[in-house]
Amino acid sequence: QGCTQKYIVKNYFYYYLFKFSAALGEEVFYISFLPFTYWNIDHSASRRMIIIWSIVMYIGQVSKDILKWPRPHSPPVVKLEMRTDVEYGMPSTHAMAATAISFSFLIATMNQYKYPFELGLVAAFVFSTLVCLSRLYTGMHTVLDVIGGALISAMLLVLSYPVWDTIDHLMLTSPFCPLVSIVVPLVLCYNYPRLDYYSPTRADTTTILGAGAGATVGFWLNNQFVAPAYTSENVQLGFPLVTSKIVLVMLARFFVGISVILLTRQLMKSVVLGMLGYRYKFPLGDLEARRRLEVEVPYKFITYSSVGFCATVLVPLLHQLLGLM
């Protein structure tokens, strides 16, 4: 398991370009870009991206463990990553996430803000293409894996687009939203397809669904008690005229927010894992115990639902207290 094949980097431009592009489909990107859009650009677009991202990633992760198509063999392929090597390959969830996030952002903003549609289309295409190519360069997927992931994501975007507004309205106004947002993802996580060996796909899926659930509850609370999204009083930040002052405020929002998110994640990891260790009588360093269903699902779900809730409720309140709104 893991990357054991030695290699020599002959083109550092491609190497760092695609290593960076691969990171655009991982947690470091999700935990920074998605909250950034909510704090600084557009609440509506952010809500749609998070919901689409959650749905697309769940379908992609489950599809991997149902199809059980292997990743490229090494050798002859040189693999530059270790963690995801134990997962199955088809479809590429990096390709699915990149396609879903970039094009849902384009679709959600193209009719609300004035910018060249062609420029937005090129940006979405370049972003998703770089992430897709990075999976080939790092040896983690075949061409079919990547094309399949992008096509599945595109199909889901097309099929879901007609009901985006309906879903968004129900998510913000239905009294059942908090309950559904928590119960449905938990049921899906506890009934995730079982494999003969351990794979991080269930943990990653629980992380994504937990973050989406926490954010969705946050959206609902904000609409009920802070600034209703379906009134003329709600002001979206949008794409303002860029000035040095606006850039500084946006950066301040981001660094304050991401600091709070990272602290919340670390705190909740420690607290939840400590409680589960006490409940199921295992030492915190026992990796095998942490991979058990009754430990992994609540550990990941509670931690990342707290992150999603913090990003959508607590951080905006902190921004307001600091005069950054």
Side-chain angles (χ1 to χ4, degrees):
Q1 293 183 1
C3 181
T4 57
Q5 189 175 357
K6 293 182 179 180
Y7 59 88
I8 298 174
V9 179
K10 295 183 178 180
N11 190 315
Y12 282 95
F13 174 76
Y14 287 147
Y15 178 78
Y16 287 112
L17 172 65
F18 290 124
K19 289 287 282 185
F20 172 78
S21 300
L24 298 178
E26 297 172 359
E27 182 181 350
V28 64
F29 174 73
Y30 303 144
I31 208 169
S32 56
F33 177 73
L34 294 176
F36 179 87
T37 60
Y38 188 76
W39 300 330
N40 289 307
I41 298 178
D42 185 89
H43 290 177
S44 175
S46 181
R47 291 195 304 268
R48 284 161 171 77
M49 277 195 299
I50 290 173
I51 295 301
I52 294 299
W53 168 67
S54 301
I55 294 172
V56 163
M57 289 298 287
Y58 174 76
I59 292 175
Q61 296 284 71
V62 169
S63 298
K64 281 185 180 184
D65 290 339
I66 291 177
L67 294 174
K68 298 183 179 181
W69 286 20
R71 289 183 183 270
H73 295 292
S74 175
V77 168
V78 177
K79 296 188 176 182
L80 306 185
E81 295 181 12
M82 296 176 64
R83 178 180 179 274
T84 56
D85 190 32
V86 297
E87 297 179 7
Y88 290 109
M90 178 67 177
S92 167
T93 47
H94 273 70
M96 293 184 70
T99 303
I101 289 176
S102 58
F103 283 94
S104 63
F105 182 76
L106 173 66
I107 295 169
T109 58
M110 64 182 183
N111 293 325
Q112 297 190 55
Y113 304 104
K114 294 182 179 179
Y115 63 88
F117 173 76
E118 294 78 8
L119 180 62
L121 184 61
V122 169
F125 180 78
V126 169
F127 177 88
S128 55
T129 299
L130 281 175
V131 175
C132 289
L133 291 177
S134 75
R135 307 316 288 159
L136 302 179
Y137 183 88
T138 55
M140 301 311 297
H141 285 286
T142 65
V143 173
L144 185 59
D145 295 343
V146 169
I147 293 176
L151 289 179
I152 292 172
S153 191
M155 181 184 66
L156 291 172
L157 282 172
V158 171
L159 293 176
S160 64
Y161 177 70
V163 295
W164 279 14
D165 290 339
T166 302
I167 294 174
D168 192 53
H169 185 271
L170 291 173
M171 180 175 65
L172 294 174
T173 60
S174 172
F176 302 105
C177 174
L179 180 62
V180 173
S181 299
I182 297 297
V183 172
V184 172
L186 271 176
V187 170
L188 293 176
C189 292
Y190 275 108
N191 290 276
Y192 192 83
R194 296 179 182 273
L195 299 176
D196 296 331
Y197 66 94
Y198 179 79
S199 168
T201 49
R202 185 181 66 198
D204 292 343
T205 304
T206 306
T207 294
I208 292 165
L209 293 183
T216 302
V217 173
F219 297 149
W220 184 84
L221 283 174
N222 286 337
N223 188 67
Q224 298 298 314
F225 303 107
V226 182
Y230 286 90
T231 70
S232 59
E233 297 175 359
N234 185 47
V235 179
Q236 297 291 346
L237 297 173
F239 295 105
L241 181 65
V242 177
T243 65
S244 58
K245 180 180 179 180
I246 290 174
V247 170
L248 288 175
V249 170
M250 292 174 70
L251 288 175
R253 289 194 196 113
F254 175 73
F255 285 114
V256 168
I258 202 68
S259 298
V260 173
I261 282 179
L262 293 177
L263 286 172
T264 300
R265 184 181 65 171
Q266 190 58 43
L267 175 64
M268 293 306 298
K269 278 186 175 181
S270 300
V271 171
V272 176
L273 190 58
M275 294 175 64
L276 290 170
Y278 177 79
R279 168 66 177 81
Y280 293 106
K281 310 299 181 185
F282 66 87
L284 300 186
D286 188 344
L287 185 59
E288 289 302 317
R290 290 165 59 173
R291 290 174 170 178
R292 287 155 43 189
L293 175 68
E294 65 270 22
V295 175
E296 186 175 68
V297 169
Y299 169 48
K300 294 289 185 178
F301 192 88
I302 295 173
T303 297
Y304 284 91
S305 62
S306 301
V307 169
F309 183 83
C310 175
T312 54
V313 176
L314 301 183
V315 170
L317 290 176
L318 181 58
H319 287 164
Q320 190 171 17
L321 289 174
L322 296 176
L324 296 175
M325 297 299 287

